[in-house]
Amino acid sequence: MTLPTASSTPVAAPRDQAAHLRHLGKRRMLMLLLGLIVGTEFLENGMFVFSASHIMGGIGAAPGEFAQVLAAYAIGSMMMIVSQQWLSRHFGYRRYLAASLALFIVGALGCALSGSMPEMALARLLQGIGGGALFTSSRVLVPQLFGVRERPLALKYFMLMLFGMSAAGPALAAALVESTGWRSLFVAIIPMALAAMAGVWLLIPDALGRGARPVRWAATPLLLFGAAIALVQTGLAQARYEFFTDPLRLAILAVAGAALLGTFLWHQWRHDEPLLRVRDLAHPVYFTGLSLYFLHYALSGAASYLFPVLAEQGLGLPLATVGWLNSAAALVALATAYAYIKLGPRMPGKKPLMVTGALAMVLAAWLFSLVPAGTPATALLPALVVKGVFGALLVLPVAGLTFRELGEERFAHAYQGKNLMRQMAQSFAPALAAIALQDREFANQAAITATAHSQGWLQALQSGLAAKGLAAPEAHMAALADLARLIEQQALLMSCADLYRVLAAAAACTAVAVVLQRRLK
């Protein structure tokens, strides 16, 4: 037996250490890559939603037409999510994600070059098909790429990138729109998506995700699902504009979409190789988690719709200020998420945290409901801080508890179902908020108009303008315009306050639901 010499020992050790460091470096790069993939979609969507009114004006689309652009992305995204298991098993995650990011980039270029609503809708559909793969795949790859000891760090990177990009979206969008125009929103995301695509091709193992058995392709369930969500999303997109003018058409769309969706789920339950493994996911813990996920995304979607309306249209704050205020709330959510990642594992029970998160939305909504006209931006910060706490403290404990009973072998299918539900909730909540806001505006505007005429507001405004030197006809026309603007602003502020009170009540019901449920503790 030959013993190692003194000269040979120090030569091998540095080589082993260098190889170990290279291995650790590659693992960290993989963790960052998964965060970059999901961050790409969250940043782009955050910028798009925040700048929707400017994009709408840029392509000359009416609000009802632009709703179809929003629906197009959701339809494309859900079609990709439901196809994920088939596609990843056939092509492997490396090719599947690289192709999805390529579609996402082509869609972004199409959006930047769009000059009309149909062009933008087609580009967003393509971008949604690509973007639908990113969130689900990134999260599903964590247990597939990392062992038990590495997963907490990988999940930390994943969550911090997700919340960090969400925080950057509104402020970056405001800066880009004001400096270079709305088209730059889509161009700005391309370098990030290209970096993610290069990382996928270089770091993801080629065989990862491929199944031992070939995929049995079947067009029927995919077409059935596509028809169902197309009907549902079209109904949600048009609900704001046709709820009062053509409710029968919306009802027909809703019933037909629900019937097709039920048929699709029944088909999947009976199928031997389904797109969605409905039978495998029939677990009470999972269903409870999905219900709480839905409540979180519904509250979040409604609140995200209401705040820009309140701040920009109701209070007249500049676009850049509204962007920074949105980002401030998201930064609080990021800090809350970081604190939860650090301290959450030490807490044996998560239910108090979930209740606190729901109550944070109660407080935030109540504070927003008290905002009067002329409120400065700084006065909104307390409510935004509390809203940021809600943004992380309800959903993160739910995310940690929902999938625990299913095991790793069913996690990918469970997360697929969760993200389908997320997309539906995020489409449903803003549409419902828009309908309710419109309804309250009609009622409040009528009430304020009656009060204004009964109390002589028009005459008072006209007299004040005449005192400044305007002729009687000019003073009358100017007083009418000023009164109309005042009534419109006051009606909007009152309507936002009404909806924030409803949102506070819904969040309180969510807190009660968290307390009463026994599955997630």
Side-chain angles (χ1 to χ4, degrees):
M1 179 176 181
T2 305
L3 295 174
T5 63
S7 61
S8 64
T9 303
V11 174
R15 288 180 180 173
D16 292 343
Q17 186 178 20
H20 178 65
L21 290 175
R22 283 195 299 271
H23 175 74
L24 287 178
K26 184 177 180 179
R27 306 298 287 173
R28 292 293 176 92
M29 288 178 67
L30 267 172
M31 294 177 187
L32 289 171
L33 173 63
L34 297 183
L36 179 65
I37 292 169
V38 70
T40 299
E41 190 201 9
F42 271 66
L43 178 62
E44 196 278 340
N45 276 326
M47 292 194 297
F48 184 90
V49 171
F50 180 81
S51 308
S53 60
H54 299 273
I55 299 170
M56 190 191 315
I59 61 174
E65 295 175 323
F66 194 72
Q68 301 302 322
V69 175
L70 301 175
Y73 188 94
I75 291 170
S77 177
M78 284 191 282
M79 289 292 288
M80 178 58 90
I81 292 171
V82 82
S83 307
Q84 177 174 341
Q85 293 302 311
W86 281 6
L87 293 172
S88 61
R89 209 177 85 202
H90 182 76
F91 295 104
Y93 275 105
R94 183 191 186 200
R95 289 177 172 80
Y96 170 63
L97 276 174
S100 298
L101 284 161
L103 284 174
F104 188 81
I105 291 168
V106 172
L109 284 171
C111 290
L113 297 173
S114 295
S116 65
M117 190 280 292
E119 292 175 359
M120 178 65 76
L122 180 61
R124 285 298 283 177
L125 176 66
L126 186 62
Q127 200 175 18
I129 294 172
L134 304 185
F135 187 15
T136 305
S137 298
S138 303
R139 181 62 183 88
V140 164
L141 283 176
V142 171
Q144 296 191 32
L145 285 170
F146 304 103
V148 176
R149 294 181 63 184
E150 290 181 304
R151 279 178 209 166
L153 183 60
L155 286 173
K156 175 182 175 182
Y157 283 20
F158 181 88
M159 298 307 301
L160 292 181
M161 287 288 284
L162 187 156
F163 281 98
M165 292 302 172
S166 298
L172 181 58
L176 288 171
V177 169
E178 288 198 333
S179 60
T180 55
W182 64 269
R183 296 183 190 275
S184 62
L185 298 171
F186 303 103
V187 177
I189 201 65
I190 292 176
M192 188 173 172
L194 284 171
M197 187 166 65
V200 165
W201 198 256
L202 294 173
L203 296 175
I204 300 294
D206 186 57
L208 185 66
R210 289 190 191 179
R213 293 179 295 110
V215 174
R216 292 167 53 194
W217 303 101
T220 301
L222 195 58
L223 291 175
L224 190 60
F225 180 77
I229 62 167
L231 288 174
V232 171
Q233 286 297 320
T234 300
L236 289 174
Q238 292 299 319
R240 177 183 179 183
Y241 311 101
E242 297 184 5
F243 186 80
F244 300 104
T245 59
D246 197 358
L248 179 60
R249 176 177 177 272
L250 290 179
I252 292 172
L253 285 174
V255 171
L260 285 176
L261 196 57
T263 305
F264 168 77
L265 293 173
W266 175 76
H267 176 274
Q268 295 297 284
W269 183 277
R270 298 175 65 250
H271 203 275
D272 293 332
E273 192 173 340
L275 288 164
L276 288 177
R277 297 189 178 275
V278 182
R279 282 179 297 179
D280 295 344
L281 302 178
H283 196 285
V285 172
Y286 178 66
F287 283 139
T288 302
L290 280 190
S291 301
L292 295 182
Y293 262 126
F294 180 86
L295 292 173
H296 167 82
Y297 286 124
L299 291 172
S300 179
S304 296
Y305 175 83
L306 276 177
F307 178 73
V309 174
L310 171 68
E312 190 174 3
Q313 299 178 35
L315 299 177
L317 298 178
L319 175 68
T321 302
V322 178
W324 280 107
L325 288 172
N326 270 283
S327 290
L331 284 173
V332 174
L334 174 62
T336 306
Y338 184 79
Y340 178 81
I341 290 169
K342 287 288 187 182
L343 303 176
R346 304 177 192 174
M347 301 178 182
K350 302 299 189 294
K351 185 182 283 191
L353 295 176
M354 293 186 283
V355 173
T356 302
L359 292 178
M361 176 54 79
V362 174
L363 178 57
W366 178 72
L367 290 173
F368 281 130
S369 73
L370 301 178
V371 170
T375 299
T378 52
L380 301 175
L381 289 176
L384 288 168
V385 169
V386 182
K387 178 176 175 286
V389 172
F390 157 79
L393 208 54
L394 174 60
V395 71
L396 287 182
V398 173
L401 297 172
T402 299
F403 310 98
R404 62 181 179 179
E405 302 292 337
L406 297 175
E408 290 186 14
E409 67 279 0
R410 288 183 287 177
F411 176 75
H413 304 288
Y415 213 77
Q416 181 187 22
K418 171 259 175 185
N419 272 349
L420 282 172
M421 184 279 307
R422 164 183 167 262
Q423 190 68 62
M424 290 295 292
Q426 289 184 330
S427 300
F428 163 79
L432 185 61
I435 293 168
L437 185 64
Q438 187 179 45
D439 180 50
R440 293 309 305 154
E441 277 191 271
F442 287 150
N444 287 326
Q445 199 161 350
I448 296 172
T449 300
T451 302
H453 287 293
S454 66
Q455 295 185 3
W457 290 7
L458 178 62
Q459 185 62 42
L461 285 171
Q462 185 173 336
S463 300
L465 292 170
K468 294 180 180 179
L470 288 180
E474 295 174 348
H476 179 72
M477 295 302 295
L480 280 175
D482 287 347
L483 183 61
R485 283 194 296 270
L486 179 63
I487 290 174
E488 184 178 356
Q489 183 186 31
Q490 286 300 116
L492 182 61
L493 284 172
M494 289 174 63
S495 302
C496 287
D498 291 342
L499 258 69
Y500 270 120
R501 283 189 284 269
V502 172
L503 192 61
C509 292
T510 300
V512 173
V514 172
V515 172
L516 294 179
Q517 62 84 27
R518 302 298 181 195
R519 302 292 181 181
L520 305 185
K521 299 180 181 180

